[in-house]
Amino acid sequence: MIQDIVSIRLPVDETYHIQKNSISHGSGKRICIVTGIHGDELEGQYVCFLLARTLLGHPEKLHGTVDIYPAANPLGIDSINRGLPGFDLDMNRTFPGSDTGDMVEFTAMKLVEDLLGADLVFDIHASNIYLTEIPQIRINEKHVDTLVPLARLSNVDLIWVHGNSTVLESTLAYSLNSRGTPCLVAEMGVGMRLTEQYGRQLTDGILNVMKELGMWDGEAAAVKEPLICDDPDEVVFLNAPTSGMFMKTREHGSWVNKGETVGYIFDPLRGEIREYISAARSGLLFTIREYPLVAEGSLMGRILARDM
């Protein structure tokens, strides 16, 4: 059933809607799938499609409620804008919102109100247009005990536990977790694109979680056992030593050796290679630069330092 969470009249004779598809059968737990908080992150759209199609195709196998919110920032999606056009705001810096604030704060408040009390929320993001990521779940260290067991069931490649200082209190996930509603932040792929493989991988993970929660009697594929990173010293950042154009030579998800080249920065005018980008430590290359134009200091990749 399609429902409006927020409906606001706009000055240009249009209406601003945030909608959810509430799919329910029998009694049981409730999970929520939220995506599109950033308008240039579309990877979660395919997860919403696959999950809704599966559940609606076999409603008798569902025990409980799945609420699907494909477009938490519809204006951003429509305009291919990361934030909210006209407000110059990142929606994921406005939670938990306010009923006395502007349209953005009011929208954030209504979304949080609708999600509170769920047994689990998946907040699905992609990377931006500059980087591409393997499927991963990022967790605030304050909520490790609650969230890591759920994340391990979710068919991602990596669980990255962040320190408190790196997690903003104005995000949707922090607002929900701090209020007792468990929320997993999934990140995968690249901005402005759909990656079919990743969409199917995370959908399988969500169905597996539902099966563990007693919400799903249908098929659920075998899931991966993720790597877990809870030591910040294990994450190695690769930054550009110079400006130019970047050509990657290794794909994200590759295991690399210390000193191995993962790409190079070149000068198209002079026909010269300016710098080779090499792995500072051996491990899993879980982030790689996707957008070729780089400036000195640009993030080129991340490596989870581990023995192969």
Side-chain angles (χ1 to χ4, degrees):
M1 178 171 61
I2 308 299
Q3 301 175 14
D4 278 351
I5 303 307
V6 177
S7 182
I8 302 172
R9 295 288 296 174
L10 297 176
V12 289
D13 199 27
E14 294 181 337
T15 303
Y16 173 78
H17 293 286
I18 294 182
Q19 296 180 306
K20 72 175 180 181
N21 188 354
S22 187
I23 304 171
S24 183
H25 184 265
S27 60
K29 296 182 178 180
R30 177 170 74 109
I31 71 167
C32 302
I33 314 301
V34 181
T35 189
I37 286 178
H38 293 134
D40 62 348
E41 298 179 3
L42 305 177
E43 298 281 11
Q45 302 288 313
Y46 195 57
V47 176
C48 292
F49 161 74
L50 291 174
L51 189 60
R53 190 176 178 88
T54 299
L55 299 178
L56 292 171
H58 302 280
E60 74 285 354
K61 298 182 184 297
L62 175 64
H63 305 283
T65 300
V66 179
D67 287 338
I68 299 174
Y69 308 72
N73 176 9
L75 291 180
I77 291 174
D78 288 347
S79 60
I80 322 176
N81 191 308
R82 181 174 181 80
L84 283 107
F87 291 88
D88 194 28
L89 283 174
D90 182 338
M91 186 177 181
N92 211 27
R93 302 295 181 266
T94 63
F95 293 100
S98 169
D99 59 356
T100 60
D102 59 22
M103 185 184 84
V104 181
E105 292 175 299
F106 178 76
T107 297
M109 180 203 70
K110 296 297 286 185
L111 184 58
V112 169
E113 281 185 350
D114 206 67
L115 293 167
L116 283 174
D119 293 281
L120 179 61
V121 176
F122 279 89
D123 177 19
I124 304 175
H125 292 260
S127 188
N128 52 36
I129 65 170
Y130 301 102
L131 303 165
T132 186
E133 306 268 5
I134 64 172
Q136 61 197 265
I137 286 177
R138 298 181 180 180
I139 292 172
N140 183 336
E141 66 182 8
K142 289 178 65 175
H143 307 292
V144 164
D145 292 343
T146 301
L147 298 182
V148 167
L150 293 166
R152 293 178 74 116
L153 301 170
S154 302
N155 203 29
V156 294
D157 298 304
L158 172 66
I159 298 171
W160 186 2
V161 178
H162 282 268
N164 288 329
S165 62
T166 64
V167 179
L168 296 174
E169 296 184 8
S170 53
T171 62
L172 175 63
Y174 189 95
S175 296
L176 292 175
N177 282 313
S178 64
R179 288 163 174 77
T181 296
C183 179
L184 295 173
V185 178
E187 182 124 3
M188 60 186 186
V190 65
M192 297 188 186
R193 297 290 185 272
L194 296 178
T195 308
E196 182 181 14
Q197 172 192 347
Y198 292 164
R200 293 190 180 279
Q201 180 177 337
L202 187 57
T203 301
D204 287 342
I206 293 171
L207 290 171
N208 183 63
V209 172
M210 290 173 59
K211 203 173 188 71
E212 292 290 329
L213 294 175
M215 297 179 63
W216 179 244
D217 286 341
E219 293 184 4
V223 299
K224 297 185 175 185
E225 178 64 29
L227 295 169
I228 299 178
C229 174
D230 55 9
D231 180 354
D233 291 335
E234 285 190 315
V235 178
V236 180
F237 294 82
L238 306 178
N239 296 96
T242 187
S243 301
M245 302 296 290
F246 176 68
M247 176 63 70
K248 63 182 178 182
T249 57
R250 297 301 305 268
E251 295 292 333
H252 63 299
S254 301
W255 288 86
V256 295
N257 293 309
K258 181 178 179 180
E260 184 176 348
T261 297
V262 301
Y264 55 89
I265 299 171
F266 64 92
D267 181 342
L269 177 63
R270 295 174 174 80
E272 299 173 348
I273 293 178
R274 289 185 170 178
E275 294 283 352
Y276 288 95
I277 307 300
S278 58
R281 293 174 66 182
S282 298
L284 176 67
L285 183 67
F286 70 92
T287 306
I288 192 66
R289 182 82 178 188
E290 190 73 24
Y291 191 75
L293 180 63
V294 299
E296 183 178 349
S298 295
L299 181 62
M300 311 302 293
R302 299 186 189 96
I303 295 172
L304 176 64
R306 292 284 173 91
D307 294 329
M308 290 184 280

